[in-house]
Amino acid sequence: YQRRVRDEPQLSLAMIRRGGLRLHRSFASVARPTRASRFSAVEESDVAAMRAIVGDNNVLVDSADTAAYREDWLRKYTASSNSTLVVRPKTTEQVANVLAHCNKRKLAVVPQGGNTGLVGGSVPVHDEVVLSLSRMNKVLDFDASSSVVVCEAGVVLEQLDHYLGERGHTVPLDLGAKGSCQVGGNVSTNAGGIRFLRYGSLHGSVAGIEAVLANGETLDLLTGVRKDNTGYDLKQLFIGAEGTLGVVTKVAIVAPPQPQAVCVALFCRAVV
């Protein structure tokens, strides 16, 4: 993915699509598209509706409070508007209500996890509503017999690894940003990392997901069954979809046993 971007520096990335809501971002240029007129602007009634859904303390409108949500950690991508509405739901039901309202009002939405990406996919372009999943941070269940752990999308990867490590298991994924990246974002981007060669991609490790579609409908594919041959395997469509099909709210992941030993190899190349 990064090689394609490097070889084609003007490649335009369609990062977000929500039932017709699409944003484009150029990787190599700060040029941004004109704000589409079909999108509505956030009004006071929208802010009031969000406060009614998630509570006053979980709706951010002040530019100082929303600054961290409007910019990526490299400070390469920044929203063009300071008037960003940030909504921080706690439950799947709240996510569904937020998206249903935005869909009805034609408000563009940007889901955001740990905001650790390198291509600006979680940063608004103009004045989109930022849907932060950071408060959905609970590990819900772990079945030692099937080695499947179920957690919410906002769980930080390193915290999940520590939780499993105490139980003799590990996450089949490890990243440099593990201290701040979130599991929902990992699944949505099909993140790889240094354990990829050992455990493979998340397409094989994710046992199930729960996702909310743009119209607020909840899709429950959260099965802990390791083998399920019934019907379409819809969860695979959401893994690596980068939020184009829906917002991932819960994930069931197969957690392999923790390695008994770790070996480090150092490869050197002699320069003559």
Side-chain angles (χ1 to χ4, degrees), residues 46-61 85-91 94-95 97-98 135:
D46 299 312
V47 177
M50 296 302 160
R51 284 174 173 162
I53 295 173
V54 302
D56 293 344
N57 294 333
N58 299 306
V59 175
L60 308 179
V61 293
L85 172 62
V86 178
V87 184
R88 304 188 301 169
K90 181 67 174 177
T91 66
Q94 290 181 354
V95 174
N97 290 336
V98 168
R135 295 181 64 233

Side-chain angles (χ1 to χ4, degrees), residues 10-31:
Q10 299 305 318
L11 180 66
S12 179
L13 304 177
M15 300 306 301
I16 296 181
R17 184 181 178 86
R18 290 287 181 275
L21 307 184
R22 180 178 296 174
L23 306 176
H24 295 276
R25 181 70 61 92
S26 172
F27 182 86
S29 172
V30 295

Side-chain angles (χ1 to χ4, degrees), residues 31 36 44 46-47 52 57 65 73 82 101 158 163 166 170 174 179 189 211 216 256-257 260 268:
E44 285 299 325
D46 299 312
V47 177
N57 294 333
D65 296 332
W73 67 281
N82 290 335
H101 177 86
E158 188 173 45
Y163 173 90
E166 295 173 351
T170 187
D174 191 24
T189 57
Q260 297 301 310
C268 300

Side-chain angles (χ1 to χ4, degrees), residues 155-162 164 169-179 181-203 205-206 239 251 253-256 259:
V155 172
V156 174
L157 179 60
E158 188 173 45
Q159 294 175 352
L160 181 61
D161 201 32
H162 288 166
L164 291 170
H169 290 259
T170 187
V171 181
L173 173 69
D174 191 24
L175 304 170
K178 62 185 178 182
C181 68
Q182 298 173 10
V183 174
N186 297 151
V187 172
S188 295
T189 57
N190 191 23
I194 60 177
R195 294 178 184 171
F196 181 90
L197 292 178
R198 176 63 180 87
Y199 301 113
S201 78
L202 290 177
H203 278 289
S205 300
V206 174
I239 301 172
V251 182
I253 303 177
V254 177

Side-chain angles (χ1 to χ4, degrees), residues 74-88:
L74 289 175
R75 296 185 177 179
K76 183 174 183 178
Y77 299 99
T78 306
S80 63
S81 173
N82 290 335
S83 58
T84 299
L85 172 62
V86 178
V87 184
R88 304 188 301 169

Side-chain angles (χ1 to χ4, degrees), residues 4-248:
R4 283 187 61 206
V5 172
R6 185 171 62 249
D7 294 343
E8 303 174 36
Q10 299 305 318
L11 180 66
S12 179
L13 304 177
M15 300 306 301
I16 296 181
R17 184 181 178 86
R18 290 287 181 275
L21 307 184
R22 180 178 296 174
L23 306 176
H24 295 276
R25 181 70 61 92
S26 172
F27 182 86
S29 172
V30 295
R32 65 183 77 240
T34 303
R35 188 185 187 282
S37 59
R38 66 180 180 274
F39 298 140
S40 301
V42 174
E43 301 176 354
E44 285 299 325
S45 60
D46 299 312
V47 177
M50 296 302 160
R51 284 174 173 162
I53 295 173
V54 302
D56 293 344
N57 294 333
N58 299 306
V59 175
L60 308 179
V61 293
D62 186 81
S63 60
D65 296 332
T66 63
Y69 299 88
R70 290 184 280 107
E71 184 177 59
D72 73 320
W73 67 281
L74 289 175
R75 296 185 177 179
K76 183 174 183 178
Y77 299 99
T78 306
S80 63
S81 173
N82 290 335
S83 58
T84 299
L85 172 62
V86 178
V87 184
R88 304 188 301 169
K90 181 67 174 177
T91 66
T92 299
E93 181 181 5
Q94 290 181 354
V95 174
N97 290 336
V98 168
L99 290 181
H101 177 86
C102 292
N103 185 66
K104 181 179 180 181
R105 282 275 293 116
K106 298 188 184 301
L107 299 173
V109 177
V110 178
Q112 189 176 102
N115 200 16
T116 59
L118 300 177
V119 294
S122 60
V123 179
V125 178
H126 299 292
D127 57 352
E128 298 82 10
V129 176
V130 175
L131 183 68
S132 172
L133 302 176
S134 59
R135 295 181 64 233
M136 300 183 65
N137 54 8
K138 294 181 179 179
V139 179
L140 302 175
D141 183 54
F142 175 65
D143 186 349
S145 61
S146 64
S147 300
V148 174
V149 61
V150 180
C151 66
E152 293 180 323
V155 172
V156 174
L157 179 60
E158 188 173 45
Q159 294 175 352
L160 181 61
D161 201 32
H162 288 166
Y163 173 90
L164 291 170
E166 295 173 351
R167 292 158 178 79
H169 290 259
T170 187
V171 181
L173 173 69
D174 191 24
L175 304 170
K178 62 185 178 182
S180 52
C181 68
Q182 298 173 10
V183 174
N186 297 151
V187 172
S188 295
T189 57
N190 191 23
I194 60 177
R195 294 178 184 171
F196 181 90
L197 292 178
R198 176 63 180 87
Y199 301 113
S201 78
L202 290 177
H203 278 289
S205 300
V206 174
I209 66 166
E210 178 187 78
V212 180
L213 306 182
N215 61 359
E217 179 182 352
T218 301
L219 192 62
D220 187 359
L221 305 171
L222 200 63
T223 176
V225 179
R226 297 282 293 267
K227 180 179 180 181
D228 187 353
N229 294 335
T230 59
Y232 297 108
D233 193 6
L234 294 179
K235 71 175 183 294
Q236 298 295 343
L237 297 177
F238 290 86
I239 301 172
E242 302 195 27
T244 59
L245 300 178
V247 179
V248 174

